[in-house]
Amino acid sequence: PGAQAGLECGSAALFCEGEGAAPVTVPEGSFSVPENGSESLRTGLETCPAGHFCIGGSREACEEGRSFQPLNGQANCISCSVCTAGSFVVEECTATSNRQCEGCPAGRYQNESGSATCLSCPKGHFCPPSARSPSPCSEGETWQDVEEQATCKVCTTCSPGYSMSQTCTVTQNRQCEVCSPGRYQSDLNAESCD
């Protein structure tokens, strides 16, 4: 004969398959059924579905955005990954899949964990791939006048016979001009001609 709806088994952690049958402990990764009746009247068991964990004969959903479980028959959920600084969220964590992260592309950075976007690298700085913060160009040596760049540009050198008309800063290049007739400069990057 089949299962009896009124057979007392004791709790959700046990089920009784039929009249006179001894209570059977529900193994981890499974849950007792039917779920919609009294916990003491369970007559069978089912495998825990993905997106849930099953322990003590009960089925519980993984907490959306905090935990997930991609497999059937599991007794726990897995904590969602956190996208670290230098990366951004490509796909959020669901009950059945982990959060997907990707490193910030060159020219962008992210200084906080769990962000959905990366920030533009400012002028006067460079940001290699997966940057956690912008790195400044070296004053007098390198410069960058455009946002979202992976490198700084090398400052122009004013050769002998030229003087600087503008110094090199982190956001602008050095400008050179030829010495006027009768004047000369033998040094590199001189401020004036003699």
Side-chain angles (χ1 to χ4, degrees):
Q4 265 189 336
L7 190 62
E8 289 281 334
C9 266
S11 73
L14 303 170
F15 72 98
C16 296
E17 294 186 276
E19 188 175 336
V24 177
T25 300
V26 178
E28 287 188 356
S30 297
F31 64 101
S32 58
V33 292
E35 290 179 290
N36 58 356
S38 168
E39 283 190 2
S40 64
L41 301 175
R42 304 291 172 100
T43 58
L45 67 91
E46 291 184 11
T47 300
C48 197
H52 296 79
F53 69 99
C54 296
I55 193 163
S58 295
R59 172 173 59 163
E60 299 291 333
C62 296
E63 191 176 343
E64 194 83 23
R66 296 181 61 89
S67 63
F68 71 103
Q69 182 48 260
L71 305 174
N72 294 327
Q74 301 301 306
N76 60 9
C77 293
I78 303 164
S79 292
C80 297
S81 296
V82 175
C83 296
T84 60
S87 67
F88 65 102
V89 177
V90 177
E91 194 173 311
E92 278 296 345
C93 186
T94 68
T96 58
S97 66
N98 198 4
R99 181 174 287 115
Q100 301 298 311
C101 306
E102 201 170 282
C104 291
R108 298 182 68 82
Y109 74 98
Q110 183 46 257
N111 56 1
E112 295 181 5
S113 297
S115 183
T117 61
C118 294
L119 307 169
S120 294
C121 198
K123 294 178 183 181
H125 295 77
F126 68 98
C127 296
S130 300
R132 293 171 178 243
S133 63
S135 299
C137 298
S138 300
E139 186 78 38
E141 296 176 20
T142 59
W143 64 286
Q144 186 51 260
D145 62 342
V146 179
E147 292 183 353
E148 294 190 15
Q149 298 301 304
T151 60
C152 293
K153 304 169 193 174
V154 176
C155 295
T156 298
T157 299
C158 294
S159 304
Y162 290 82
S163 66
M164 282 191 298
S165 58
Q166 177 177 294
T167 60
C168 185
T169 68
V170 295
T171 58
Q172 67 182 11
N173 193 10
R174 182 178 289 119
Q175 299 295 316
C176 308
E177 59 185 31
V178 69
C179 292
S180 56
R183 302 189 77 185
Y184 186 74
Q185 181 50 256
S186 59
D187 297 330
L188 297 175
N189 299 327
E191 292 183 15
S192 62
C193 296
D194 298 327

